[in-house]
Amino acid sequence: VNIPVGTLFTFTVAGLHPTSATQTTPGIAGTETMTVTAGPVSQNGFCAFAPGTWIVGTPVIVTETAVAPLPNGFTFADVSVSRITGLPSLVSSSLANKTATLTARNTTAEVAFTNYIFRPAILKICKIGATSTVTGNFSFTMSLVNPLTSLPVSSSPIIIPVNSCTFAQGPYPAVPAFPGIGTFNLGTQLTITEAASGTTIVVAVTSPTSPLVADATNRRGTITLNRSALDSQFNEISFTNAIGGGGSTAAGVSVTGRVLTAGGNGLTNAYVILSGINGTSRRAMTSAFGYFRFDDVEAGGTYILNVDSKRFSFTPRSISVDDELTNVELVAVPPL
């Protein structure tokens, strides 16, 4: 999937060779080696015929064993299999072991492997109450935008109390920087959906770390996991809820403040995101000393402030704007 078209993969094909044109069993056990060029997903890849013939009705085991050098120093150990299909249907397959067993027949039998480069990523999901009247637990589910980029993710609900976060369990093993937490594949797009809860509505879906397509109206967001767990970084998505809906038609006011590191220093060239109850958002870049300003903010509403920074993580902050608001401080989360 994220492997260059034209990359050579090596396979072994093991089974029973006939010793004559009409032989059934026992035959002679043999293993053949072959290479196949990776093709585009849109064309269902490229194919090659395995050398030799096999006794009809006997099992043939196909195993992926190696790959030609990949960009950025990736090796065969970084390559995973997301799907194995066969014609006729496979007897068995193992994504982890990169192997499939099919039955030889007197016409062409086919097996297809779909590969991708794996790098671990971590996802944190946060639930924020815009006001103190938002209470209780909220339920979330995950789904893959493209199932070919990853092993299947869990469909079990993820329960998060209001004003807290939890790490989602991915389908891959944990890494030392995040013990006990299942990882995802870096670059995967995940859609996180919040189940309806009482009279609350989602007023903002934000991410301080990663590219995000927010859909507050439908209580979901699609995040692209772009931070590697190998760098001790995590990806974060936050949902902010309020009771009911609505805003105010009051005149615009200004919201000003400062973005600070955990050590209290002003953070320059970071983007501050102001999200409204209707799902719209605005961005402002911080000055050389970390100051930011939004003008013409509609008074009488609740908003979410968040910071988009490549170096630091921030917890979204809810603010109520009734008049001009000054000296709002957004402080980075201390490093783990």
Side-chain angles (χ1 to χ4, degrees), residues 187-226:
T188 296
Q189 289 184 306
L190 285 169
T191 297
I192 313 301
T193 303
E194 179 187 294
S197 179
T199 60
T200 67
I201 61 171
V202 175
V203 296
V205 183
T206 58
S207 174
T209 62
S210 311
L212 178 73
V213 178
D215 184 1
T217 301
N218 292 304
R219 310 177 80 100
R220 66 190 178 201
T222 298
I223 184 171
T224 301
L225 306 182
N226 68 333

PDB file of all heavy atoms in Angstrom, residues 187-226:
ATOM      1  N   GLY A 187       0.803   6.759   9.829  1.00  0.00           N
ATOM      2  CA  GLY A 187       0.213   7.132   8.551  1.00  0.00           C
ATOM      3  C   GLY A 187      -1.213   6.656   8.370  1.00  0.00           C
ATOM      4  O   GLY A 187      -1.909   7.093   7.440  1.00  0.00           O
ATOM      5  N   THR A 188      -1.669   5.764   9.260  1.00  0.00           N
ATOM      6  CA  THR A 188      -3.044   5.269   9.180  1.00  0.00           C
ATOM      7  C   THR A 188      -4.036   6.393   9.459  1.00  0.00           C
ATOM      8  O   THR A 188      -3.804   7.243  10.312  1.00  0.00           O
ATOM      9  CB  THR A 188      -3.255   4.127  10.187  1.00  0.00           C
ATOM     10  OG1 THR A 188      -2.424   3.030   9.820  1.00  0.00           O
ATOM     11  CG2 THR A 188      -4.699   3.666  10.210  1.00  0.00           C
ATOM     12  N   GLN A 189      -5.146   6.385   8.735  1.00  0.00           N
ATOM     13  CA  GLN A 189      -6.246   7.306   9.011  1.00  0.00           C
ATOM     14  C   GLN A 189      -7.333   6.553   9.776  1.00  0.00           C
ATOM     15  O   GLN A 189      -7.823   5.516   9.321  1.00  0.00           O
ATOM     16  CB  GLN A 189      -6.817   7.873   7.710  1.00  0.00           C
ATOM     17  CG  GLN A 189      -5.883   8.850   7.009  1.00  0.00           C
ATOM     18  CD  GLN A 189      -6.532   9.446   5.783  1.00  0.00           C
ATOM     19  OE1 GLN A 189      -7.000   8.739   4.898  1.00  0.00           O
ATOM     20  NE2 GLN A 189      -6.563  10.761   5.712  1.00  0.00           N
ATOM     21  N   LEU A 190      -7.675   7.081  10.943  1.00  0.00           N
ATOM     22  CA  LEU A 190      -8.694   6.476  11.797  1.00  0.00           C
ATOM     23  C   LEU A 190      -9.857   7.448  11.982  1.00  0.00           C
ATOM     24  O   LEU A 190      -9.637   8.633  12.259  1.00  0.00           O
ATOM     25  CB  LEU A 190      -8.107   6.140  13.167  1.00  0.00           C
ATOM     26  CG  LEU A 190      -7.181   4.937  13.286  1.00  0.00           C
ATOM     27  CD1 LEU A 190      -6.506   4.939  14.648  1.00  0.00           C
ATOM     28  CD2 LEU A 190      -7.948   3.649  13.085  1.00  0.00           C
ATOM     29  N   THR A 191     -11.057   6.939  11.853  1.00  0.00           N
ATOM     30  CA  THR A 191     -12.235   7.739  12.172  1.00  0.00           C
ATOM     31  C   THR A 191     -12.695   7.364  13.578  1.00  0.00           C
ATOM     32  O   THR A 191     -12.991   6.202  13.856  1.00  0.00           O
ATOM     33  CB  THR A 191     -13.363   7.500  11.166  1.00  0.00           C
ATOM     34  OG1 THR A 191     -12.934   7.927   9.869  1.00  0.00           O
ATOM     35  CG2 THR A 191     -14.615   8.284  11.553  1.00  0.00           C
ATOM     36  N   ILE A 192     -12.725   8.362  14.461  1.00  0.00           N
ATOM     37  CA  ILE A 192     -13.164   8.185  15.847  1.00  0.00           C
ATOM     38  C   ILE A 192     -14.560   8.782  15.963  1.00  0.00           C
ATOM     39  O   ILE A 192     -14.768   9.953  15.623  1.00  0.00           O
ATOM     40  CB  ILE A 192     -12.207   8.869  16.835  1.00  0.00           C
ATOM     41  CG1 ILE A 192     -10.745   8.527  16.507  1.00  0.00           C
ATOM     42  CG2 ILE A 192     -12.561   8.488  18.257  1.00  0.00           C
ATOM     43  CD1 ILE A 192     -10.426   7.055  16.531  1.00  0.00           C
ATOM     44  N   THR A 193     -15.509   7.970  16.438  1.00  0.00           N
ATOM     45  CA  THR A 193     -16.898   8.410  16.517  1.00  0.00           C
ATOM     46  C   THR A 193     -17.385   8.318  17.955  1.00  0.00           C
ATOM     47  O   THR A 193     -17.193   7.296  18.623  1.00  0.00           O
ATOM     48  CB  THR A 193     -17.800   7.543  15.619  1.00  0.00           C
ATOM     49  OG1 THR A 193     -17.309   7.604  14.272  1.00  0.00           O
ATOM     50  CG2 THR A 193     -19.235   8.041  15.657  1.00  0.00           C
ATOM     51  N   GLU A 194     -18.001   9.402  18.410  1.00  0.00           N
ATOM     52  CA  GLU A 194     -18.574   9.433  19.758  1.00  0.00           C
ATOM     53  C   GLU A 194     -20.049   9.061  19.698  1.00  0.00           C
ATOM     54  O   GLU A 194     -20.801   9.592  18.868  1.00  0.00           O
ATOM     55  CB  GLU A 194     -18.420  10.833  20.358  1.00  0.00           C
ATOM     56  CG  GLU A 194     -19.017  10.964  21.755  1.00  0.00           C
ATOM     57  CD  GLU A 194     -19.001  12.403  22.240  1.00  0.00           C
ATOM     58  OE1 GLU A 194     -17.906  12.936  22.449  1.00  0.00           O
ATOM     59  OE2 GLU A 194     -20.088  12.992  22.386  1.00  0.00           O
ATOM     60  N   ALA A 195     -20.458   8.153  20.567  1.00  0.00           N
ATOM     61  CA  ALA A 195     -21.866   7.767  20.636  1.00  0.00           C
ATOM     62  C   ALA A 195     -22.683   8.900  21.267  1.00  0.00           C
ATOM     63  O   ALA A 195     -22.190   9.642  22.123  1.00  0.00           O
ATOM     64  CB  ALA A 195     -22.024   6.490  21.449  1.00  0.00           C
ATOM     65  N   ALA A 196     -23.927   9.029  20.837  1.00  0.00           N
ATOM     66  CA  ALA A 196     -24.808  10.046  21.417  1.00  0.00           C
ATOM     67  C   ALA A 196     -24.951   9.806  22.910  1.00  0.00           C
ATOM     68  O   ALA A 196     -25.012   8.662  23.377  1.00  0.00           O
ATOM     69  CB  ALA A 196     -26.174  10.003  20.740  1.00  0.00           C
ATOM     70  N   SER A 197     -24.998  10.911  23.687  1.00  0.00           N
ATOM     71  CA  SER A 197     -25.069  10.803  25.140  1.00  0.00           C
ATOM     72  C   SER A 197     -25.975  11.889  25.695  1.00  0.00           C
ATOM     73  O   SER A 197     -25.597  13.072  25.735  1.00  0.00           O
ATOM     74  CB  SER A 197     -23.663  10.919  25.744  1.00  0.00           C
ATOM     75  OG  SER A 197     -23.708  10.835  27.150  1.00  0.00           O
ATOM     76  N   GLY A 198     -27.176  11.476  26.098  1.00  0.00           N
ATOM     77  CA  GLY A 198     -28.101  12.422  26.728  1.00  0.00           C
ATOM     78  C   GLY A 198     -28.415  13.612  25.837  1.00  0.00           C
ATOM     79  O   GLY A 198     -28.655  13.478  24.639  1.00  0.00           O
ATOM     80  N   THR A 199     -28.371  14.795  26.432  1.00  0.00           N
ATOM     81  CA  THR A 199     -28.680  16.019  25.688  1.00  0.00           C
ATOM     82  C   THR A 199     -27.428  16.750  25.225  1.00  0.00           C
ATOM     83  O   THR A 199     -27.501  17.883  24.770  1.00  0.00           O
ATOM     84  CB  THR A 199     -29.515  16.969  26.572  1.00  0.00           C
ATOM     85  OG1 THR A 199     -28.759  17.302  27.751  1.00  0.00           O
ATOM     86  CG2 THR A 199     -30.830  16.327  26.971  1.00  0.00           C
ATOM     87  N   THR A 200     -26.267  16.094  25.336  1.00  0.00           N
ATOM     88  CA  THR A 200     -25.041  16.781  24.951  1.00  0.00           C
ATOM     89  C   THR A 200     -24.877  16.798  23.434  1.00  0.00           C
ATOM     90  O   THR A 200     -25.364  15.918  22.714  1.00  0.00           O
ATOM     91  CB  THR A 200     -23.807  16.107  25.566  1.00  0.00           C
ATOM     92  OG1 THR A 200     -23.643  14.809  24.993  1.00  0.00           O
ATOM     93  CG2 THR A 200     -23.937  16.016  27.069  1.00  0.00           C
ATOM     94  N   ILE A 201     -24.187  17.815  22.961  1.00  0.00           N
ATOM     95  CA  ILE A 201     -23.779  17.897  21.567  1.00  0.00           C
ATOM     96  C   ILE A 201     -22.273  18.088  21.535  1.00  0.00           C
ATOM     97  O   ILE A 201     -21.667  18.550  22.505  1.00  0.00           O
ATOM     98  CB  ILE A 201     -24.464  19.066  20.828  1.00  0.00           C
ATOM     99  CG1 ILE A 201     -24.093  20.399  21.488  1.00  0.00           C
ATOM    100  CG2 ILE A 201     -25.972  18.878  20.778  1.00  0.00           C
ATOM    101  CD1 ILE A 201     -24.543  21.611  20.687  1.00  0.00           C
ATOM    102  N   VAL A 202     -21.650  17.679  20.435  1.00  0.00           N
ATOM    103  CA  VAL A 202     -20.222  17.902  20.252  1.00  0.00           C
ATOM    104  C   VAL A 202     -20.042  19.281  19.632  1.00  0.00           C
ATOM    105  O   VAL A 202     -20.572  19.573  18.555  1.00  0.00           O
ATOM    106  CB  VAL A 202     -19.600  16.825  19.351  1.00  0.00           C
ATOM    107  CG1 VAL A 202     -18.130  17.129  19.074  1.00  0.00           C
ATOM    108  CG2 VAL A 202     -19.729  15.451  19.986  1.00  0.00           C
ATOM    109  N   VAL A 203     -19.319  20.144  20.318  1.00  0.00           N
ATOM    110  CA  VAL A 203     -19.119  21.500  19.821  1.00  0.00           C
ATOM    111  C   VAL A 203     -17.775  21.671  19.133  1.00  0.00           C
ATOM    112  O   VAL A 203     -17.568  22.648  18.409  1.00  0.00           O
ATOM    113  CB  VAL A 203     -19.253  22.535  20.962  1.00  0.00           C
ATOM    114  CG1 VAL A 203     -20.666  22.517  21.516  1.00  0.00           C
ATOM    115  CG2 VAL A 203     -18.237  22.280  22.067  1.00  0.00           C
ATOM    116  N   ALA A 204     -16.853  20.726  19.353  1.00  0.00           N
ATOM    117  CA  ALA A 204     -15.551  20.835  18.694  1.00  0.00           C
ATOM    118  C   ALA A 204     -14.855  19.480  18.698  1.00  0.00           C
ATOM    119  O   ALA A 204     -14.945  18.735  19.673  1.00  0.00           O
ATOM    120  CB  ALA A 204     -14.666  21.875  19.381  1.00  0.00           C
ATOM    121  N   VAL A 205     -14.206  19.176  17.586  1.00  0.00           N
ATOM    122  CA  VAL A 205     -13.308  18.029  17.481  1.00  0.00           C
ATOM    123  C   VAL A 205     -11.960  18.589  17.036  1.00  0.00           C
ATOM    124  O   VAL A 205     -11.873  19.204  15.975  1.00  0.00           O
ATOM    125  CB  VAL A 205     -13.815  16.980  16.476  1.00  0.00           C
ATOM    126  CG1 VAL A 205     -12.879  15.767  16.448  1.00  0.00           C
ATOM    127  CG2 VAL A 205     -15.235  16.546  16.807  1.00  0.00           C
ATOM    128  N   THR A 206     -10.934  18.405  17.849  1.00  0.00           N
ATOM    129  CA  THR A 206      -9.652  19.050  17.574  1.00  0.00           C
ATOM    130  C   THR A 206      -8.501  18.065  17.781  1.00  0.00           C
ATOM    131  O   THR A 206      -8.658  17.020  18.402  1.00  0.00           O
ATOM    132  CB  THR A 206      -9.437  20.261  18.507  1.00  0.00           C
ATOM    133  OG1 THR A 206      -9.498  19.815  19.871  1.00  0.00           O
ATOM    134  CG2 THR A 206     -10.495  21.325  18.283  1.00  0.00           C
ATOM    135  N   SER A 207      -7.353  18.436  17.236  1.00  0.00           N
ATOM    136  CA  SER A 207      -6.131  17.675  17.473  1.00  0.00           C
ATOM    137  C   SER A 207      -4.963  18.642  17.567  1.00  0.00           C
ATOM    138  O   SER A 207      -4.716  19.409  16.635  1.00  0.00           O
ATOM    139  CB  SER A 207      -5.860  16.671  16.353  1.00  0.00           C
ATOM    140  OG  SER A 207      -4.587  16.054  16.554  1.00  0.00           O
ATOM    141  N   PRO A 208      -4.236  18.621  18.682  1.00  0.00           N
ATOM    142  CA  PRO A 208      -3.060  19.488  18.813  1.00  0.00           C
ATOM    143  C   PRO A 208      -1.818  18.888  18.162  1.00  0.00           C
ATOM    144  O   PRO A 208      -0.766  19.510  18.169  1.00  0.00           O
ATOM    145  CB  PRO A 208      -2.886  19.587  20.329  1.00  0.00           C
ATOM    146  CG  PRO A 208      -3.375  18.264  20.836  1.00  0.00           C
ATOM    147  CD  PRO A 208      -4.520  17.887  19.925  1.00  0.00           C
ATOM    148  N   THR A 209      -1.949  17.675  17.625  1.00  0.00           N
ATOM    149  CA  THR A 209      -0.763  16.967  17.150  1.00  0.00           C
ATOM    150  C   THR A 209      -0.792  16.596  15.682  1.00  0.00           C
ATOM    151  O   THR A 209       0.261  16.523  15.046  1.00  0.00           O
ATOM    152  CB  THR A 209      -0.573  15.658  17.937  1.00  0.00           C
ATOM    153  OG1 THR A 209      -1.706  14.798  17.705  1.00  0.00           O
ATOM    154  CG2 THR A 209      -0.418  15.918  19.422  1.00  0.00           C
ATOM    155  N   SER A 210      -1.960  16.342  15.116  1.00  0.00           N
ATOM    156  CA  SER A 210      -2.026  15.613  13.857  1.00  0.00           C
ATOM    157  C   SER A 210      -3.053  16.204  12.897  1.00  0.00           C
ATOM    158  O   SER A 210      -3.996  16.883  13.322  1.00  0.00           O
ATOM    159  CB  SER A 210      -2.391  14.148  14.127  1.00  0.00           C
ATOM    160  OG  SER A 210      -1.569  13.602  15.143  1.00  0.00           O
ATOM    161  N   PRO A 211      -2.909  15.934  11.588  1.00  0.00           N
ATOM    162  CA  PRO A 211      -3.930  16.353  10.627  1.00  0.00           C
ATOM    163  C   PRO A 211      -5.280  15.747  10.980  1.00  0.00           C
ATOM    164  O   PRO A 211      -5.367  14.576  11.341  1.00  0.00           O
ATOM    165  CB  PRO A 211      -3.399  15.804   9.293  1.00  0.00           C
ATOM    166  CG  PRO A 211      -1.919  15.667   9.485  1.00  0.00           C
ATOM    167  CD  PRO A 211      -1.741  15.291  10.932  1.00  0.00           C
ATOM    168  N   LEU A 212      -6.333  16.543  10.863  1.00  0.00           N
ATOM    169  CA  LEU A 212      -7.654  16.115  11.319  1.00  0.00           C
ATOM    170  C   LEU A 212      -8.735  16.662  10.408  1.00  0.00           C
ATOM    171  O   LEU A 212      -8.683  17.829  10.004  1.00  0.00           O
ATOM    172  CB  LEU A 212      -7.897  16.605  12.745  1.00  0.00           C
ATOM    173  CG  LEU A 212      -9.264  16.291  13.366  1.00  0.00           C
ATOM    174  CD1 LEU A 212      -9.354  14.822  13.716  1.00  0.00           C
ATOM    175  CD2 LEU A 212      -9.516  17.149  14.600  1.00  0.00           C
ATOM    176  N   VAL A 213      -9.696  15.815  10.080  1.00  0.00           N
ATOM    177  CA  VAL A 213     -10.931  16.256   9.430  1.00  0.00           C
ATOM    178  C   VAL A 213     -12.029  16.153  10.472  1.00  0.00           C
ATOM    179  O   VAL A 213     -12.417  15.046  10.876  1.00  0.00           O
ATOM    180  CB  VAL A 213     -11.263  15.393   8.194  1.00  0.00           C
ATOM    181  CG1 VAL A 213     -12.581  15.848   7.581  1.00  0.00           C
ATOM    182  CG2 VAL A 213     -10.139  15.477   7.169  1.00  0.00           C
ATOM    183  N   ALA A 214     -12.503  17.297  10.952  1.00  0.00           N
ATOM    184  CA  ALA A 214     -13.486  17.329  12.040  1.00  0.00           C
ATOM    185  C   ALA A 214     -14.906  17.365  11.484  1.00  0.00           C
ATOM    186  O   ALA A 214     -15.183  18.040  10.491  1.00  0.00           O
ATOM    187  CB  ALA A 214     -13.242  18.540  12.928  1.00  0.00           C
ATOM    188  N   ASP A 215     -15.783  16.627  12.120  1.00  0.00           N
ATOM    189  CA  ASP A 215     -17.204  16.610  11.772  1.00  0.00           C
ATOM    190  C   ASP A 215     -17.997  16.601  13.076  1.00  0.00           C
ATOM    191  O   ASP A 215     -18.539  15.581  13.489  1.00  0.00           O
ATOM    192  CB  ASP A 215     -17.516  15.385  10.914  1.00  0.00           C
ATOM    193  CG  ASP A 215     -18.962  15.350  10.429  1.00  0.00           C
ATOM    194  OD1 ASP A 215     -19.724  16.289  10.742  1.00  0.00           O
ATOM    195  OD2 ASP A 215     -19.342  14.372   9.749  1.00  0.00           O
ATOM    196  N   ALA A 216     -18.037  17.772  13.729  1.00  0.00           N
ATOM    197  CA  ALA A 216     -18.692  17.859  15.035  1.00  0.00           C
ATOM    198  C   ALA A 216     -20.176  17.535  14.946  1.00  0.00           C
ATOM    199  O   ALA A 216     -20.743  16.938  15.864  1.00  0.00           O
ATOM    200  CB  ALA A 216     -18.491  19.255  15.620  1.00  0.00           C
ATOM    201  N   THR A 217     -20.803  17.900  13.841  1.00  0.00           N
ATOM    202  CA  THR A 217     -22.240  17.653  13.688  1.00  0.00           C
ATOM    203  C   THR A 217     -22.558  16.168  13.816  1.00  0.00           C
ATOM    204  O   THR A 217     -23.550  15.780  14.440  1.00  0.00           O
ATOM    205  CB  THR A 217     -22.734  18.179  12.330  1.00  0.00           C
ATOM    206  OG1 THR A 217     -22.461  19.581  12.242  1.00  0.00           O
ATOM    207  CG2 THR A 217     -24.232  17.937  12.170  1.00  0.00           C
ATOM    208  N   ASN A 218     -21.706  15.331  13.236  1.00  0.00           N
ATOM    209  CA  ASN A 218     -21.913  13.886  13.281  1.00  0.00           C
ATOM    210  C   ASN A 218     -21.064  13.200  14.346  1.00  0.00           C
ATOM    211  O   ASN A 218     -20.883  11.978  14.315  1.00  0.00           O
ATOM    212  CB  ASN A 218     -21.635  13.277  11.907  1.00  0.00           C
ATOM    213  CG  ASN A 218     -22.660  13.688  10.876  1.00  0.00           C
ATOM    214  OD1 ASN A 218     -23.853  13.490  11.061  1.00  0.00           O
ATOM    215  ND2 ASN A 218     -22.202  14.288   9.782  1.00  0.00           N
ATOM    216  N   ARG A 219     -20.519  13.982  15.258  1.00  0.00           N
ATOM    217  CA  ARG A 219     -19.797  13.485  16.430  1.00  0.00           C
ATOM    218  C   ARG A 219     -18.611  12.597  16.050  1.00  0.00           C
ATOM    219  O   ARG A 219     -18.369  11.554  16.659  1.00  0.00           O
ATOM    220  CB  ARG A 219     -20.751  12.704  17.362  1.00  0.00           C
ATOM    221  CG  ARG A 219     -22.029  13.430  17.695  1.00  0.00           C
ATOM    222  CD  ARG A 219     -22.951  12.585  18.546  1.00  0.00           C
ATOM    223  NE  ARG A 219     -22.550  12.602  19.940  1.00  0.00           N
ATOM    224  CZ  ARG A 219     -23.107  13.338  20.889  1.00  0.00           C
ATOM    225  NH1 ARG A 219     -24.109  14.145  20.604  1.00  0.00           N
ATOM    226  NH2 ARG A 219     -22.667  13.279  22.139  1.00  0.00           N
ATOM    227  N   ARG A 220     -17.832  13.033  15.084  1.00  0.00           N
ATOM    228  CA  ARG A 220     -16.693  12.215  14.673  1.00  0.00           C
ATOM    229  C   ARG A 220     -15.567  13.073  14.122  1.00  0.00           C
ATOM    230  O   ARG A 220     -15.755  14.248  13.773  1.00  0.00           O
ATOM    231  CB  ARG A 220     -17.124  11.188  13.629  1.00  0.00           C
ATOM    232  CG  ARG A 220     -17.563  11.799  12.301  1.00  0.00           C
ATOM    233  CD  ARG A 220     -18.207  10.762  11.415  1.00  0.00           C
ATOM    234  NE  ARG A 220     -18.665  11.365  10.164  1.00  0.00           N
ATOM    235  CZ  ARG A 220     -19.592  10.829   9.385  1.00  0.00           C
ATOM    236  NH1 ARG A 220     -20.176   9.689   9.727  1.00  0.00           N
ATOM    237  NH2 ARG A 220     -19.943  11.413   8.260  1.00  0.00           N
ATOM    238  N   GLY A 221     -14.405  12.463  14.058  1.00  0.00           N
ATOM    239  CA  GLY A 221     -13.247  13.113  13.463  1.00  0.00           C
ATOM    240  C   GLY A 221     -12.339  12.058  12.865  1.00  0.00           C
ATOM    241  O   GLY A 221     -12.222  10.951  13.397  1.00  0.00           O
ATOM    242  N   THR A 222     -11.696  12.374  11.744  1.00  0.00           N
ATOM    243  CA  THR A 222     -10.760  11.455  11.096  1.00  0.00           C
ATOM    244  C   THR A 222      -9.355  12.006  11.256  1.00  0.00           C
ATOM    245  O   THR A 222      -9.042  13.089  10.758  1.00  0.00           O
ATOM    246  CB  THR A 222     -11.103  11.270   9.608  1.00  0.00           C
ATOM    247  OG1 THR A 222     -12.408  10.700   9.490  1.00  0.00           O
ATOM    248  CG2 THR A 222     -10.095  10.351   8.939  1.00  0.00           C
ATOM    249  N   ILE A 223      -8.525  11.264  11.980  1.00  0.00           N
ATOM    250  CA  ILE A 223      -7.183  11.708  12.311  1.00  0.00           C
ATOM    251  C   ILE A 223      -6.161  10.883  11.525  1.00  0.00           C
ATOM    252  O   ILE A 223      -6.330   9.676  11.344  1.00  0.00           O
ATOM    253  CB  ILE A 223      -6.922  11.594  13.834  1.00  0.00           C
ATOM    254  CG1 ILE A 223      -5.543  12.168  14.191  1.00  0.00           C
ATOM    255  CG2 ILE A 223      -7.084  10.183  14.346  1.00  0.00           C
ATOM    256  CD1 ILE A 223      -5.317  12.272  15.698  1.00  0.00           C
ATOM    257  N   THR A 224      -5.119  11.551  11.036  1.00  0.00           N
ATOM    258  CA  THR A 224      -4.006  10.875  10.381  1.00  0.00           C
ATOM    259  C   THR A 224      -2.864  10.756  11.386  1.00  0.00           C
ATOM    260  O   THR A 224      -2.370  11.779  11.883  1.00  0.00           O
ATOM    261  CB  THR A 224      -3.528  11.650   9.148  1.00  0.00           C
ATOM    262  OG1 THR A 224      -4.611  11.779   8.210  1.00  0.00           O
ATOM    263  CG2 THR A 224      -2.372  10.922   8.463  1.00  0.00           C
ATOM    264  N   LEU A 225      -2.465   9.541  11.700  1.00  0.00           N
ATOM    265  CA  LEU A 225      -1.435   9.317  12.725  1.00  0.00           C
ATOM    266  C   LEU A 225      -0.062   9.652  12.133  1.00  0.00           C
ATOM    267  O   LEU A 225       0.506   8.868  11.384  1.00  0.00           O
ATOM    268  CB  LEU A 225      -1.486   7.873  13.210  1.00  0.00           C
ATOM    269  CG  LEU A 225      -2.856   7.386  13.704  1.00  0.00           C
ATOM    270  CD1 LEU A 225      -2.763   5.956  14.208  1.00  0.00           C
ATOM    271  CD2 LEU A 225      -3.403   8.304  14.791  1.00  0.00           C
ATOM    272  N   ASN A 226       0.447  10.827  12.469  1.00  0.00           N
ATOM    273  CA  ASN A 226       1.690  11.305  11.853  1.00  0.00           C
ATOM    274  C   ASN A 226       2.855  11.429  12.829  1.00  0.00           C
ATOM    275  O   ASN A 226       3.922  11.903  12.445  1.00  0.00           O
ATOM    276  CB  ASN A 226       1.451  12.664  11.187  1.00  0.00           C
ATOM    277  CG  ASN A 226       1.167  13.770  12.192  1.00  0.00           C
ATOM    278  OD1 ASN A 226       0.657  13.500  13.281  1.00  0.00           O
ATOM    279  ND2 ASN A 226       1.486  15.004  11.847  1.00  0.00           N
TER     280      ASN A 226
END
